[in-house]
Amino acid sequence: MDFEKENAHKDDTFKVPANLKIPNHLAVTMDGNGRWAVSHGKKRTQGHKAGTDALRRLVEYSIKYKINYLTVFSFSSENWSRPKEEVNFILRLMRNYINSDLEKLTSNNVKIRIIGERVGLDKQTLNLIKKAEEKTKNNTGLQLIVAFNYGGKAEIASAMQKIAQKVLNLDISPSDIDEDMITKELYINDVPDPDVVLRTSGEYRFSNFLLWQSAYAELIFIDDYWPDFNEAIFIKTLKEYSKRERRYGGVEVK
Ligand code: IPE
Ligand code: MG
């Protein structure tokens, strides 16, 4: 099926199957680009390139299945430790992705937001981030949240710094600090917590992704490498989520 050519959100002939529970917020750690490349006798960078195409597919499916928020882990604050050549390639890919897809994302009513540390990013990347957010800020469809130069612990630490400053200014006292206050100081505070955190490539870790926000997320792990992500895997994930019973620490209500 060619999702590239069709305007998925305008296709009202597609009805989301009634037996599928659709998460309001889906978060994805797109893992396994490097191993995918090696398993195909290619260079790691080719894996990242194929991973970008998989991201395009994920965005199309998310629109088609009417997910409201999609957060993707594109580059972690720890990924800088990779060989410079690979890091530069990934940064270039991300810029190319925005450059080539921004028009289409805009016309598909996607609102793009980028979370992560901006300090230390090059000007070119910063400008593109700004352009993508600015151009799509009034869109009302899928919110595509890209975690870039992102680390969950750093996000919480930065929230703490802002709160500590308020204590220092005597605006609040330490006993005023509660969960809501911390949530408000995160990179984004108007997005509901993820219902599902999906990780590909058979790795069972958080890797510092949305630590605070994932307290009650359903964790789904699949063995496929990220570049192989397709609609069947997307549906499999939704089916798995549909089976889960979310109790938030309570008991099942019959
Ligand atoms: C995920 O694929 C993409 C990024 C972290 C940027 P990896 O590059 O982590 O692929 P593996 O884990 O080495 O296979
Ligand atoms: Mg990895």
Side-chain angles (χ1 to χ4, degrees), residues 4-249:
E4 295 294 307
K5 291 213 180 89
E6 83 180 13
N7 247 343
H9 79 288
K10 288 183 185 140
D11 175 13
D12 350 293
T13 55
F14 178 76
K15 289 266 174 294
V16 176
N19 59 339
L20 274 191
K21 202 161 81 178
I22 304 298
N24 184 36
H25 183 174
L26 169 65
V28 183
T29 295
M30 309 179 289
D31 198 10
N33 290 350
R35 279 163 288 160
W36 178 89
V38 169
S39 76
H40 286 77
K42 296 174 194 272
K43 289 201 334 195
R44 286 182 61 85
T45 47
Q46 289 308 107
H48 295 309
K49 207 153 174 256
T52 310
D53 291 332
L55 169 61
R56 289 191 173 96
R57 293 195 290 275
L58 171 64
V59 171
E60 298 291 352
Y61 309 148
S62 299
I63 295 171
K64 180 175 173 185
Y65 286 78
K66 302 188 171 60
I67 285 173
N68 293 318
Y69 302 91
L70 171 67
T71 301
V72 291
F73 205 1
S74 84
F75 191 78
S76 92
S77 37
E78 287 79 31
N79 287 148
W80 294 106
S81 64
R82 295 183 177 204
K84 207 168 172 300
E85 188 203 338
E86 182 173 343
V87 169
N88 286 340
F89 189 90
I90 295 172
L91 295 186
R92 210 165 47 237
L93 256 187
M94 146 119 181
R95 290 197 297 265
N96 288 348
Y97 172 67
I98 295 182
N99 269 327
S100 64
D101 285 43
L102 189 54
E103 276 310 319
K104 183 169 162 249
L105 291 167
T106 307
S107 65
N108 275 344
N109 203 16
V110 175
K111 178 170 173 168
I112 302 173
R113 307 172 80 178
I114 284 100
I115 55 171
E117 194 45 62
R118 307 264 167 122
V119 177
L121 292 185
D122 62 277
K123 230 179 160 161
Q124 219 182 347
T125 305
L126 281 174
N127 284 344
L128 257 186
I129 288 176
K130 237 170 62 200
K131 181 174 158 191
E133 289 188 327
E134 188 58 33
K135 196 169 163 66
T136 62
K137 69 171 190 239
N138 294 323
N139 282 353
T140 54
L142 174 72
Q143 288 209 24
L144 172 60
I145 300 149
V146 181
F148 177 74
N149 195 22
Y150 174 88
K153 284 186 171 186
E155 179 178 34
I156 297 167
S158 120
M160 291 308 156
Q161 287 179 7
K162 291 179 206 151
I163 292 170
Q165 191 60 53
K166 290 184 185 170
V167 175
L168 202 64
N169 296 349
L170 302 178
D171 292 336
I172 57 169
S173 71
S175 59
D176 292 329
I177 300 170
D178 60 9
E179 294 177 14
D180 283 345
M181 192 183 289
I182 294 168
T183 300
K184 279 203 191 86
E185 300 297 347
L186 300 176
Y187 292 128
I188 288 186
N189 60 22
D190 61 341
V191 169
D193 286 344
D195 304 289
V196 176
V197 178
L198 169 69
R199 183 169 190 153
T200 56
S201 85
E203 302 282 359
Y204 308 111
R205 283 188 296 278
F206 278 111
S207 295
N208 211 2
F209 185 42
L210 302 180
L211 293 181
W212 179 269
Q213 298 89 333
S214 296
Y216 281 103
E218 293 294 332
L219 307 179
I220 299 181
F221 300 98
I222 57 173
D223 287 335
D224 309 80
Y225 294 142
W226 177 246
D228 287 327
F229 191 79
N230 58 24
E231 193 170 10
I233 299 173
F234 181 81
I235 293 172
K236 196 171 88 178
T237 304
L238 296 186
K239 281 192 175 149
E240 175 60 32
Y241 172 64
S242 306
K243 283 197 302 210
R244 303 277 178 97
E245 181 199 305
R246 305 183 77 195
R247 294 195 297 270
Y248 301 95

